[in-house]
């Protein structure tokens, strides 16, 4: 049996499908390019790219040889975005970005994907 856990990406078929998706679409490259941009010029694109990483930046989904570096880049860039004057003036934005950073940081520390930070971010996105 190719399923080894309950999550939709924790099985052989899904892992292969995601691998093909990333190979064919160059999605990881597009996300990484956006994250590499200057936060002053591309803060909205950086947050959008980081959102995709929050949604898809998991083992068996994201290309394994790039996942940690891409998550670290997203964390760094989101922190830079939060420090921009346009966001720093709004505690709601700063809090939202801090939650996004916490989710990504949890991916590097192998915390449960059901952490409080992840739950809060997903809930805010669903309510939005």
């Amino acid at each position: 049996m190719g399923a080894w856990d309950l999550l939709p990406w924790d099985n052989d078929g899904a892992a292969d499908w995601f691998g093909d998706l990333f190979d064919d679409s160059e999605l990881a490259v597009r996300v990484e390019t956006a994250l590499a941009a200057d936060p002053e010029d591309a803060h909205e694109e950086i947050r959008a790219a980081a959102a995709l990483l929050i949604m898809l930046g998991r083992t068996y989904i994201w290309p394994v040889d790039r996942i940690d570096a891409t998550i670290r880049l997203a964390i760094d860039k989101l922190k830079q975005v939060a420090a921009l004057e346009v966001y720093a003036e709004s505690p709601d934005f700063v809090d939202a970005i801090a939650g996004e950073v916490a989710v990504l940081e949890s991916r590097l520390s192998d915390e449960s994907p059901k952490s409080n930070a992840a739950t809060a971010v997903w809930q805010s996105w669903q309510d939005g």
Side-chain angles (χ1 to χ4, degrees):
M1 182 168 147
W4 59 82
D5 209 341
L6 298 176
L7 298 172
W9 49 85
D10 285 343
N11 61 76
D12 293 333
D16 291 344
W17 184 86
F18 280 115
D20 292 343
L21 174 70
F22 277 88
D23 288 344
D24 295 344
S25 70
E26 297 187 4
L27 179 62
V29 173
R30 301 262 329 248
V31 168
E32 292 162 4
T33 299
L35 291 172
D38 181 348
E40 289 282 344
D41 299 327
H43 52 92
E44 293 163 329
E45 292 86 351
I46 289 169
R47 276 196 78 203
L52 280 177
L53 195 56
I54 288 168
M55 289 182 254
L56 300 174
R58 299 174 173 280
T59 303
Y60 309 122
I61 297 176
W62 204 265
V64 69
D65 60 330
R66 304 161 97 136
I67 189 168
D68 288 347
T70 307
I71 289 173
R72 285 186 185 94
L73 177 61
I75 290 167
D76 179 57
K77 290 299 182 130
L78 283 174
K79 288 178 178 179
Q80 291 179 45
V81 166
L84 293 174
E85 186 175 335
V86 67
Y87 292 107
E89 295 176 351
S90 173
D92 290 339
F93 273 108
V94 173
D95 289 346
I97 294 169
E100 294 160 10
V101 168
V103 171
L104 292 170
E105 287 174 337
S106 75
R107 301 273 170 80
L108 293 176
S109 66
D110 293 329
E111 288 180 20
S112 167
K114 296 176 182 155
S115 70
N116 290 338
T119 302
V121 167
W122 282 111
Q123 188 62 50
S124 71
W125 287 356
Q126 290 174 345
D127 294 344

